[in-house]
Amino acid sequence: MAKESFIKGTLIIAAATLVTRFLGLFQRVPLEHMLGAVGNAAFATSQNVYLLILAVATAGIPSTLSKMVSERYALNQVYEAERIYRAALLFGLISGGAATLLLVLLAPAYGVMSKQPEAVLAIRSLAPALLLFPMLAMMRGYTQGRNMMEASGVSQIVEQILRVVTAIGLAYFLMAGGQTQEIIAAGASFGGVLGSVGAFVVMIYYLRKLRRMDREAGVRARREGREHLKTSKIFATIFTMSIPIVLASLAVPVVNFIDSTITVPLLSPDVGEETAKYLYGILGQRAQSIAGIPPILAIALSTSLIPIISSAYAKRDMDHLKRQISLAMRISVLSGMPIVLALSVSAYSVNGLIFSTLDGAGIIAMLTLGTIFQITMMTSSSILIGLGKADIAMISVILGMIIKLAASFLFAPFFGIYGIILGTMISFLIITYLNLRVMKKIVPFAVIGKRWPGFLLASAVAGGVGYGIEWFGEWIAKLPAVPDKLAFFFTAGIASVVVMITFLMGLIFFRVIRSSEMSSYPRMVQKALRPFMKLQRSSAKG
């Protein structure tokens, strides 16, 4: 029953993440059409600044809170669990107020530093959302600790729906009223405030539902015979556990924040400030939204294995631990790579299909291609956290961010915005390498062992075939009789499907995936692979 409950919870969170990611992409498409170069850069900057401050304001506490609450309820220490939750809520209230004030006061200074003064109003428009989001994060951590995963999932979806509707509606209303790009971007940013209010209402509903269930079950937070936990002691425990976790998980928000801060100043001397803002608008609005798609499935699949890894390590079952770590990394790479390839080779058509111009396809392709290193970084960091080595993952991320900054400053003068993206790829790769090095010291394991040549061949063949289809589709799109959007739609769709099927067949044909290993994969993966395994048996007979 516990296993079924865990799987159900994982699926709910994964589905909610998938829906919110696609809603986020859906939001950026019409906004990209409505906003010009300045507006796109301002909106993207406000989002990246906000997400970084939000991550710091919540300080990784939700996952820590979830763990502490679930442990105490398992031991029937209800009063202690409720004390911890109330202390976390108090922290959320204080940190939310401080973060809001910080955002309002420092926005002008950041606008000057990043050479984007137009982003100041958009950043300040999001500030009120920080009053609620830290408390929302604590509520989600508490309900997850009580195994009520649907509360987090539903609140995330409602939040994103309200954010999207409000952002697009306000932007359209302001644009129709002839407002400036700066004000339109600020209106779009304000959608996050309405989203936070909607999510807060949903969480209140689920918390009241949880209280009602507790009353019916006779659960009481009794004070008698319980140690009185001081708020200061609770804070100290939470911070000790959560700070390494939050720093280990800040890699992507920090990279996006760095790009928001340095892109315009670095590119302006060579291409001019207006062009630099236009290029950053493409990176922040288009490329980052497309590049956010490949990690969804890979991380959802590998995340379900992390508790198993933690349990195996606690029991010192090293054989089982070795198998599970290998499997987690393998699933991440093998499920992430075809999506990375599909979106990278069809970047021109995807860009032409959903955005306003054809500019920036190379930026989208390169950033998306680099997400394979983001996938391995996130998975390896999660495994280290499962092994109780969050401090190691934290150190890897800090070193990676230093390398990101240094590489961006080194390569930008030579390669422009592609040098900044190259810095991101190198930083994710370095973090992955440092994580894997430590993991292999704990337990020797292999991702795919000596099968890397087969994996690279499968990737090359799939990428080559997909690029050929993309090239042919681009040629068709230039014909006067063919509508551009229709050509881009079919080209992107066909190229993506062919890339993923070709990659899968290549993995089987080159024996990267083998019949003998089928039982080690999750059941849904087995069902997907089984029809294709005949190809491997046929090649073996031949």
Side-chain angles (χ1 to χ4, degrees), residues 228-441:
H228 182 73
L229 295 173
K230 293 182 179 179
T231 302
S232 58
K233 184 178 179 181
I234 295 172
F235 279 174
T237 304
I238 289 176
F239 282 130
T240 302
M241 295 174 64
S242 65
I243 287 176
I245 294 175
V246 70
L247 291 177
S249 61
L250 274 181
V252 176
V254 169
V255 162
N256 292 340
F257 176 78
I258 289 172
D259 288 345
S260 298
T261 307
I262 67 172
T263 299
V264 175
L266 278 181
L267 300 184
S268 293
D270 293 324
V271 301
E273 194 167 305
E274 290 303 312
T275 302
K277 288 178 181 177
Y278 180 65
L279 290 172
Y280 173 68
I282 291 173
L283 176 65
Q285 278 285 72
R286 304 189 195 185
Q288 287 178 3
S289 57
I290 298 297
I293 296 173
I296 297 173
L297 178 60
I299 301 305
L301 285 170
S302 61
T303 298
S304 64
L305 294 168
I306 303 306
I308 301 172
I309 289 170
S310 182
S311 174
Y313 185 64
K315 296 174 183 176
R316 291 298 186 267
D317 187 349
M318 305 312 281
D319 289 336
H320 186 56
L321 184 64
K322 177 180 177 180
R323 288 194 300 271
Q324 296 306 324
I325 291 177
S326 298
L327 183 58
M329 292 300 301
R330 191 179 305 145
I331 288 175
S332 294
V333 172
L334 298 185
S335 63
M337 193 63 183
I339 304 174
V340 167
L341 287 172
L343 290 173
S344 297
V345 299
S346 60
Y348 184 87
S349 293
V350 171
N351 189 36
L353 174 65
I354 62 179
F355 295 117
S356 58
T357 68
L358 293 171
D359 299 338
I363 296 172
I364 295 172
M366 185 172 179
L367 189 69
T368 304
L369 190 63
T371 55
I372 190 61
F373 303 127
Q374 179 185 334
I375 289 168
T376 55
M377 175 201 71
M378 293 172 74
T379 307
S380 58
S381 293
S382 295
I383 292 172
L384 279 176
I385 291 170
L387 293 171
K389 304 292 181 183
D391 54 333
I392 302 296
M394 174 187 70
I395 293 169
S396 297
V397 167
I398 292 171
L399 290 174
M401 294 306 97
I402 294 171
I403 291 167
K404 156 65 183 173
L405 264 175
S408 296
F409 276 91
L410 176 64
F411 294 126
F414 300 100
F415 306 112
I417 197 162
Y418 295 100
I420 293 173
I421 297 172
L422 181 60
T424 299
M425 296 171 69
I426 291 172
S427 68
F428 288 161
L429 181 59
I430 293 295
I431 295 171
T432 299
Y433 168 75
L434 294 173
N435 286 348
L436 293 178
R437 188 177 175 187
V438 174
M439 287 158 58
K440 288 186 175 181
K441 287 182 178 179

Side-chain angles (χ1 to χ4, degrees), residues 123-174:
I123 293 171
R124 283 178 163 173
S125 295
L126 263 175
L130 284 172
L131 286 170
L132 289 179
F133 263 117
M135 286 192 292
L136 263 173
M138 306 311 159
M139 292 174 176
R140 286 170 177 167
Y142 174 74
T143 53
Q144 287 170 20
R146 298 291 309 276
N147 204 28
M148 185 181 268
M149 299 298 179
E150 63 268 27
S152 292
V154 174
S155 68
Q156 285 178 38
I157 293 171
V158 169
E159 170 201 329
Q160 195 73 330
I161 290 172
L162 287 175
R163 177 196 292 264
V164 170
V165 172
T166 306
I168 296 173
L170 275 177
Y172 180 80
F173 176 78
L174 292 169

Side-chain angles (χ1 to χ4, degrees), residues 37-59:
V38 172
N40 277 311
F43 180 77
T45 298
S46 70
Q47 301 301 302
N48 289 337
V49 171
Y50 166 75
L51 289 173
L52 179 64
I53 292 182
L54 177 62
V56 174
T58 53

